[in-house]
Amino acid sequence: MKKELLRTQIAFFLKKEFNAFEAFALEIKKVLGETETRYLPVPTDAPVQFPRLIIDYKTFNIQVFKNRIDLFFQENYDQETLLKVINVLSSILGLPIGRVGFVKTLFVESDIMTLKNLLPEEKIKSLDIKEINLRINVRRTIGGFKCNSIEKIDPGNVTKNTNLVKSGLIVSKDCNTIAEEALPDNLESTALQTLIKELDDETKIFILI
């Protein structure tokens, strides 16, 4: 079944709260180039899940939270950009990274029958089902670290460049190191990049669809 990649997200979860947003923006723009920077008017006591800073580039953006830093790429991620960001986090700012996550969001032009076929027919044959949402989490060891390998499928739409709306399934592959076991403080930048590559490889393995 053909899958169209919509976006890629790479998340770095920090071991301690981060507040040096201006310093981060300055160092990022030194290595990636000048661009638009948005400091969001979030109260200082707002929950950590609200981004404080967004740095926009042509094909990706960086969202900075108090407890994590996310990269959102249009389609596939760029390895050179990733390495530069990791270098800023680890070598320049010395931020301890506790966990890392890799998420791909894909679109499949299909319908609810694809999901119905995954369920026991005798349980659903008499039901007028309008929507099905599926999510599984498989524990795997990736790059020597225990990880969650999550596959989630929901009905959804995408809008193409021609403003044509297509209906189908939104598939999310989320692979992340587990919260119970933090990454070592002495993990080198190259080792972190290798781990992300292996998480990427895991997102190419599908179970439900």
Side-chain angles (χ1 to χ4, degrees):
M1 188 172 292
K2 184 179 179 181
K3 303 174 183 67
E4 177 186 351
L5 180 61
L6 300 178
R7 63 181 174 272
T8 300
Q9 175 187 359
I10 302 174
F12 299 97
F13 298 87
L14 306 177
K15 290 183 178 180
K16 60 182 181 181
E17 193 170 286
F18 176 70
N19 290 290
F21 305 115
E22 290 187 13
F24 177 83
L26 178 64
E27 295 298 338
I28 282 293
K29 287 189 283 188
K30 283 182 182 178
V31 297
L32 297 180
E34 289 295 327
T35 189
E36 180 183 358
T37 303
R38 291 180 281 157
Y39 294 94
L40 305 184
V42 179
T44 55
D45 59 348
V48 295
Q49 62 262 33
F50 291 100
R52 268 59 177 183
L53 167 67
I54 299 177
I55 305 175
D56 292 305
Y57 286 92
K58 184 176 181 180
T59 60
F60 68 96
N61 71 44
I62 304 172
Q63 297 188 18
V64 185
F65 303 74
K66 279 191 170 185
N67 65 338
R68 76 177 197 268
I69 294 169
D70 289 1
L71 282 73
F72 291 90
F73 292 88
Q74 297 173 15
E75 300 184 358
N76 273 314
Y77 75 100
D78 176 69
Q79 292 190 23
E80 182 179 353
T81 298
L82 174 63
L83 185 58
K84 289 178 179 179
V85 172
I86 290 176
N87 185 58
V88 169
L89 294 177
S90 301
S91 302
I92 298 176
L93 296 178
L95 297 177
I97 298 171
R99 297 175 56 219
V100 63
F102 193 103
V103 185
K104 280 185 178 176
T105 303
L106 309 102
F107 174 74
V108 176
E109 194 170 352
S110 185
D111 56 31
I112 197 171
M113 286 304 301
T114 301
L115 301 183
K116 280 186 175 182
N117 291 335
L118 296 173
L119 303 176
E121 184 180 357
E122 66 274 9
K123 297 286 187 180
I124 65 170
K125 61 183 180 182
S126 62
L127 302 177
D128 183 20
I129 298 177
K130 300 299 183 184
E131 181 178 325
I132 298 174
N133 307 85
L134 296 178
R135 182 183 187 274
I136 62 170
N137 183 7
V138 179
R139 182 61 53 85
R140 298 194 189 280
T141 299
I142 301 172
F145 299 98
K146 292 180 181 177
C147 297
N148 300 303
S149 182
I150 301 167
E151 187 170 325
K152 184 172 178 288
I153 307 176
D154 300 291
N157 302 319
V158 295
T159 304
K160 310 305 290 184
N161 294 333
T162 58
N163 292 325
L164 174 66
V165 177
K166 288 187 176 182
S167 298
L169 304 174
I170 304 298
V171 182
S172 173
K173 285 290 297 187
D174 180 354
C175 299
N176 58 80
T177 57
I178 65 172
E180 295 84 356
E181 297 182 14
L183 299 176
D185 290 338
N186 61 350
L187 188 67
E188 296 182 355
S189 296
T190 53
L192 183 57
Q193 189 179 30
T194 298
L195 173 59
I196 291 172
K197 174 63 170 63
E198 295 189 28
L199 292 174
D200 181 14
D201 291 339
E202 176 67 20
T203 65
K204 299 171 185 175
I205 302 171
F206 296 89
I207 299 171
L208 297 175
I209 193 168

